[in-house]
Amino acid sequence: MHPAGLAAAAAAGTPRLRKWPSKRRIPVSQPGMADPHQLFDDTSSTQSRGYGAQRAPGGLGYPAASATPQAAFLADPVSNMAMAYGSSLAAQGKELVDKNIDRFIPVTKLKYYFAVDTMYVGRKLGLLFFPYLHQDWEVQYQQDTPVAPRFDVNAPDLYIPAMAFITYVLVAGLALGTQDRFSPDLLGLQASSALAWLTLEVVAILLSLYLVTVNTDLTTIDLVAFLGYKYVGMIGGVLMGLLFGKIGYYLVLGWCCVAIFVFMIRTLRLKILAEAAAEGVPVRGARNQLRMYLTMAVAAAQPLLMYWLTFHLVR
């Protein structure tokens, strides 16, 4: 048989296989792996996912986060010892400063003079304007310690004198402003002159008590408190002068001058003359007479200073 016929017969007897196109398996890209057919790495998605988020330390492709300088400092035992030593030095310095301040400025004693309340302030102001009806002027004590001012209207305080001084300066500025004479320098001069006269009073009284050899429990802070009560009457006189002129000024200031004179006499005589009686000094003795004159001089100086510090504020 012809070879061509054999080939045709074989082809007819054998089933013909159909040739299918071959399929290529495309590898699936894993997260974090780039496409092998991509020319450049796409970093936009990674940045968008990681923007605002903290990367995990030691992650793939990122260096581990280093410790903060504060943590490294605290982890050092030498630094811890130095810090402890510095804290102890600071504590010792604070204690030393507190002791020195308390020696020159008795902070604990100052707290006593500001232990007031609203009822005490009202009663004390009434006593300063109307001291004539008050009978008991003795300061109350509890176990050899005077009670707080809010429990005893006779106890001296620094709240009313301090507030009265500030109010006096403000009222003086108001009076100067109504007369077109206001200036910061003039207002400062008014305040400094009032403080200077107060300081001069305290020094003169302390020197007089030393020369007369008076053994009294009257302290420097007590003197500042008693001498500072005159600012209350000065405020009333200036305000009445602004409202009603010279007549209102002289009437109210005169009343306040008499009231502060009576108040100082009845208060200081228990501080100065009572000690003389306790020491057994005769009532008509020479030293006791000096103490009486000293009490009268301190009380008489208050109306004079009240007029001197206010008469130029009312025109």
Side-chain angles (χ1 to χ4, degrees), residues 79-95:
S79 301
N80 291 333
M81 183 175 63
M83 181 176 293
Y85 182 70
S87 301
S88 63
L89 284 180
Q92 293 177 3
K94 182 178 181 300
E95 183 179 0

Side-chain angles (χ1 to χ4, degrees), residues 81-143:
M81 183 175 63
M83 181 176 293
Y85 182 70
S87 301
S88 63
L89 284 180
Q92 293 177 3
K94 182 178 181 300
E95 183 179 0
L96 183 62
V97 170
D98 292 341
K99 288 182 179 179
N100 291 331
I101 289 179
D102 192 68
R103 183 174 62 180
F104 294 103
I105 303 176
V107 179
T108 55
K109 293 182 180 179
L110 287 178
K111 293 180 180 179
Y112 163 81
Y113 292 93
F114 286 93
V116 300
D117 55 8
T118 306
M119 183 176 295
Y120 168 83
V121 173
R123 293 174 59 193
K124 194 72 171 187
L125 292 177
L127 182 61
L128 291 175
F129 284 106
F130 305 96
Y132 317 105
L133 303 178
H134 193 63
Q135 299 296 328
D136 186 14
W137 293 85
E138 291 283 347
V139 177
Q140 300 178 10
Y141 283 81
Q142 183 178 6
Q143 298 179 355

Side-chain angles (χ1 to χ4, degrees), residues 237-254:
V238 175
L239 287 178
M240 291 299 104
L242 293 177
L243 295 176
F244 305 103
K246 284 282 188 179
I247 298 178
Y249 166 74
Y250 282 115
L251 287 177
V252 175
L253 187 68

Side-chain angles (χ1 to χ4, degrees), residues 14-195:
T14 305
R16 191 173 182 177
L17 297 176
R18 186 176 181 181
K19 189 174 182 180
W20 297 91
S22 62
K23 295 182 180 180
R24 293 181 58 188
R25 179 178 296 273
I26 300 176
V28 180
S29 60
Q30 298 295 330
M33 298 181 62
D35 191 355
H37 300 284
Q38 189 174 355
L39 296 178
F40 301 97
D41 293 336
D42 186 9
T43 59
S44 60
S45 60
T46 305
Q47 291 179 356
S48 62
R49 290 193 304 267
Y51 181 77
Q54 186 178 4
R55 295 171 179 171
L60 183 61
Y62 300 99
S66 60
T68 61
Q70 292 81 1
F73 177 79
L74 295 176
D76 191 359
V78 178
S79 301
N80 291 333
M81 183 175 63
M83 181 176 293
Y85 182 70
S87 301
S88 63
L89 284 180
Q92 293 177 3
K94 182 178 181 300
E95 183 179 0
L96 183 62
V97 170
D98 292 341
K99 288 182 179 179
N100 291 331
I101 289 179
D102 192 68
R103 183 174 62 180
F104 294 103
I105 303 176
V107 179
T108 55
K109 293 182 180 179
L110 287 178
K111 293 180 180 179
Y112 163 81
Y113 292 93
F114 286 93
V116 300
D117 55 8
T118 306
M119 183 176 295
Y120 168 83
V121 173
R123 293 174 59 193
K124 194 72 171 187
L125 292 177
L127 182 61
L128 291 175
F129 284 106
F130 305 96
Y132 317 105
L133 303 178
H134 193 63
Q135 299 296 328
D136 186 14
W137 293 85
E138 291 283 347
V139 177
Q140 300 178 10
Y141 283 81
Q142 183 178 6
Q143 298 179 355
D144 298 335
T145 303
V147 298
R150 63 174 175 268
F151 301 118
D152 185 13
V153 71
N154 297 322
D157 72 284
L158 287 178
Y159 176 79
I160 293 178
M163 295 296 104
F165 176 79
I166 296 174
T167 307
Y168 160 72
V169 175
L170 296 177
V171 171
L174 176 63
L176 294 174
T178 56
Q179 302 169 15
D180 295 332
R181 296 189 297 134
F182 176 81
S183 66
D185 295 336
L186 190 57
L187 187 62
L189 180 62
Q190 191 74 24
S192 60
S193 61
L195 282 178

